[in-house]
Amino acid sequence: MTAASSPARPAPSSLLALDIGGTSMRAALVQGGRVLERVEARTPRPATPDAVIAAALDLARPLAERAGAVGVACAGAVARGRVTATATHTFPGWVDVALAERLGSGLNLPCAALNDARAAAWGEFAAGAGVGTTEFMFVTVSTGVGAGLVLGGQLHLAGNGLDAELGFVSVPAHWHAGTPTPAGRLAPMEFESSGTALNARGVTLGYADARALCDAAEAGNASADAEYRHSASALAWKIADIAALLGVTRVALGGSVGLRAGYLSRVREALGAFPERYRPEVVHAALGADAGLIGAALWAQRMAEQPAAP
């Protein structure tokens, strides 16, 4: 476990946040939309529910006494505080795990849990690039493609945990074999737009990885740029669809690919092909890697302040 900042003396209104990922987990004290103190540890291997929850409690306990509630951001389908893994090779045995209940009990704090992309969306809406909007979407383009939606100022949370799975919507399959449909061969957008997809295309073209491909595209290499634009264009198409369906007016891009200036410019350029009313403002996310921590903490505060059901 390593400390990334010197210990602060937060007020009692501080919130505890946990971000549980496939490689690492982080705990932080958050106040006023700002991280005051954080610690980090490796995610146990294998990342079974009992092992991960025990490690998360060990990581968070030193901070818990200075917090009024705890929010958790976690990969997978999260509904009513319960988690079912979508990447079972990374999180084996995660089927309807009562994550919020177990962490809240272990830390003696009110606890709320969100999918990691949804937590980042709420963080950006409340304290980052979404401030001032009521219809907002956060999209992370990194290893995969994830998203979160805020509609009418409320975080969209579906009962089955599939709240804004933008990476799973269908697009024409160019880099993937796809599935035959009446509309042609289609594939999940994640297979055509993610950093993993760009990495595979980069290797095919002789580049070391996705970053090298993107660097070459931004330096003017035509073949690399065609692949880069393919990813950005598929995302732009779905952003236009979301704007038409839900009236989203601002979209914030995050993730290792989404935060590249060249990627943002190509998404904006591709959106120019759509009617103006279906072109929301597209900007970079403002909170960086802390969006999920901040969003989880602010969501926990919001849930703790709600009156108990009669």
Side-chain angles (χ1 to χ4, degrees), residues 278-301:
Y278 307 138
R279 299 199 306 259
E281 179 185 15
V282 183
V283 300
H284 273 149
L287 302 180
D290 286 340
L293 287 169
I294 292 169
L298 295 178
W299 186 252
Q301 181 182 43

Side-chain angles (χ1 to χ4, degrees), residues 6 15 18 20 29 44 57 59 71 117-118 125 136 142 147 175 213 219 242 251 255 290 301:
S6 58
L15 303 158
L18 272 164
I20 299 173
L29 283 173
L57 288 172
L59 186 68
R118 261 64 90 192
F125 171 75
F136 171 74
S142 188
W175 296 349
L213 173 71
I242 293 293
V251 176
D290 286 340
Q301 181 182 43

Side-chain angles (χ1 to χ4, degrees), residues 125 128-134 249-250:
F125 171 75
V131 170
T133 68
T134 56
T249 59
R250 187 179 301 160

Side-chain angles (χ1 to χ4, degrees), residues 103-266:
L103 289 175
S105 175
L107 296 169
N108 196 29
L109 289 171
C111 183
L114 289 172
N115 165 272
D116 50 4
R118 261 64 90 192
W122 188 248
E124 288 289 343
F125 171 75
V131 170
T133 68
T134 56
E135 275 66 42
F136 171 74
M137 181 166 68
F138 166 79
V139 180
T140 177
V141 185
S142 188
T143 302
V145 177
L149 278 167
V150 176
L151 303 174
Q154 303 295 319
L155 185 63
H156 173 61
L157 295 174
N160 65 357
L162 298 176
D163 315 306
E165 294 293 355
L166 192 65
F168 298 156
V169 301
S170 296
V171 297
H174 294 301
W175 296 349
H176 187 267
T179 301
T181 76
R185 286 191 173 271
L186 302 178
M189 189 178 70
E190 193 164 279
F191 293 2
E192 302 285 329
S193 290
S194 67
T196 300
L198 281 166
N199 192 80
R201 292 303 298 170
V203 170
T204 297
L205 293 175
Y207 294 99
D209 51 24
R211 177 180 294 180
L213 173 71
C214 297
D215 287 345
E218 291 172 9
N221 181 281
S223 61
D225 190 51
E227 308 297 325
Y228 202 24
R229 288 181 184 277
H230 172 69
S231 167
S233 296
L235 178 58
W237 175 17
K238 294 307 172 179
I239 288 174
D241 282 351
I242 293 293
L245 286 168
L246 301 174
V248 167
T249 59
R250 187 179 301 160
V251 176
L253 300 184
S256 57
V257 177
L259 285 172
R260 294 184 69 109
Y263 196 78
L264 175 63
S265 67
R266 284 161 176 79

Side-chain angles (χ1 to χ4, degrees), residues 10 41 51 66 78 81 87 93 95 99 113 155 191 200 206 231 249 252 258 261-262 268 274:
R66 291 176 280 167
V78 183
V95 179
L99 183 65
L155 185 63
F191 293 2
S231 167
T249 59
R268 288 172 170 170
F274 295 88

